[in-house]
Amino acid sequence: MTFITFEGGEGAGKTTLIEKIKTYLTNKNLQVILTREPGGTVFSEHVRDLLLEEKKDIKISSKAELCLFLASRAQHIKEVINPALKENKIVLCDRFNDSSIVYQGFARNLGIDEVIKFSSFIVEDFIPCLTLYLDIDPKIGLSRVNTKYDRIESLGLEFHKKIREGFLLLQEKFPNRIKTIDSSLSKEAIFKKAIEYIDDILKKNLS
Ligand code: Z5A
């Protein structure tokens, strides 16, 4: 099972990297699907809109927010991730459960261990074999996102600094799975680093 996830703060370059990796793997005649969270299914994209749209009259509590991310994930696993892995496809996913652990567990103060425990009912054994964490100073990351900020992006620099702290803590907790790449490097240098990790995993998984 080759399930690879990409994590990082805002503007870390996940989407840019994941597309290059998809092309790299497809050129090797491997079957790959690229998907994202929140999203990836019709239902989950609706939940994404609900979560990210800035609507002044709707307030979402941290616990409700976590439940929505998990609802989106449950459907995504059932409809997309599990079927693709069963067909031996490589699944590349832009954000997954680590985002819930860091954003809701650490930054929203619901607790890292509490979110790991609560989400395990949804995630079951769909644990990525590799997670590439793109580490970026939030000031640089936010400056790269030049569109209008969504509900979570607009939370301010202190929140985004906490996100970075959370991901670094999580990497220390799961050093075998989560690999950090310095995202202040050029797009090409990041791609090269990522490919080293991915080729390694493919060697293990396909041998
Ligand atoms: N969230 C959560 O709270 N809980 C959860 O469980 C989950 C998610 C799953 C989803 O937003 C939000 O939901 C997210 C976490 C939260 N919080 N926020 N905000 P999203 O999916 O819409 O946004 P994102 O994941 O943060 O994506 P992003 O901001 O678009 O960033 P990115 O995909 O990492 O970056 P990019 O689009 O590849 O690059 C951004 C720009 O930087 C672009 O112009 C690139 O050309 C440029 N770029 C990329 N790499 C480089 C390098 N190396 N140098 C210079 N410029 C670069």
Side-chain angles (χ1 to χ4, degrees):
M1 155 169 143
T2 308
F3 179 29
I4 302 172
T5 58
F6 297 78
E7 298 283 359
E10 279 41 74
K14 300 179 306 303
T15 312
T16 306
L17 175 65
I18 209 169
E19 274 161 14
K20 283 161 89 90
I21 290 173
K22 186 183 179 209
T23 307
Y24 171 80
L25 295 174
T26 308
N27 287 343
K28 283 177 172 260
N29 287 326
L30 294 166
Q31 283 198 296
V32 185
I33 68 148
L34 192 167
T35 187
R36 71 167 179 181
E37 290 213 349
T41 75
V42 174
F43 168 78
S44 310
E45 291 290 334
H46 278 296
V47 179
R48 179 187 176 90
D49 291 343
L50 198 60
L51 277 161
L52 298 186
E53 261 175 46
E54 181 78 90
K55 282 199 178 142
K56 296 221 161 24
D57 53 335
I58 298 185
K59 294 225 181 322
I60 306 177
S61 74
S62 300
K63 285 185 179 173
E65 186 178 89
L66 174 63
C67 290
L68 286 173
F69 279 113
L70 291 177
S72 154
R73 184 160 307 132
Q75 195 65 26
H76 190 209
I77 290 172
K78 185 177 168 57
E79 264 187 55
V80 176
I81 296 174
N82 187 25
L85 292 174
K86 271 192 177 156
E87 290 171 15
N88 280 323
K89 291 180 180 159
I90 297 171
V91 176
L92 306 177
C93 191
D94 193 341
R95 295 193 183 278
F96 192 62
N97 205 45
D98 293 325
S99 280
S100 298
I101 298 167
V102 170
Y103 280 79
Q104 283 67 54
F106 187 69
R108 298 284 206 202
N109 295 317
L110 293 180
I112 285 189
D113 291 334
E114 285 76 1
V115 172
I116 291 176
K117 197 169 161 202
F118 187 62
S119 62
S120 64
F121 178 65
I122 302 300
V123 171
E124 299 175 39
D125 52 358
F126 292 94
I127 310 285
C129 55
L130 172 68
T131 297
L132 295 179
Y133 163 58
L134 300 190
D135 182 52
I136 190 80
D137 178 333
K139 266 194 199 158
I140 301 176
L142 287 168
S143 74
R144 287 180 182 169
V145 183
N146 47 19
T147 49
K148 194 175 157 285
Y149 286 170
D150 64 36
R151 194 178 62 86
I152 294 177
E153 279 164 350
S154 60
L155 284 170
L157 193 58
E158 283 316 303
F159 181 84
H160 294 286
K161 282 186 181 165
K162 216 168 166 200
I163 296 300
R164 186 185 199 189
E165 198 188 329
F167 273 122
L168 292 171
L169 275 176
L170 206 61
Q171 198 273 332
E172 277 175 24
K173 208 172 163 75
F174 302 108
N176 292 335
R177 173 175 66 83
I178 305 180
K179 304 295 178 192
T180 300
I181 298 179
D182 176 359
S183 180
S184 66
L185 298 172
S186 70
K187 291 178 188 178
E188 204 43 44
I190 293 170
F191 174 67
K192 273 196 182 147
K193 289 254 171 216
I195 285 307
E196 283 172 23
Y197 288 121
I198 288 177
D199 281 345
D200 233 38
I201 280 290
L202 291 180
K203 248 185 244 156
K204 280 184 202 141
N205 285 6
L206 303 177
S207 62

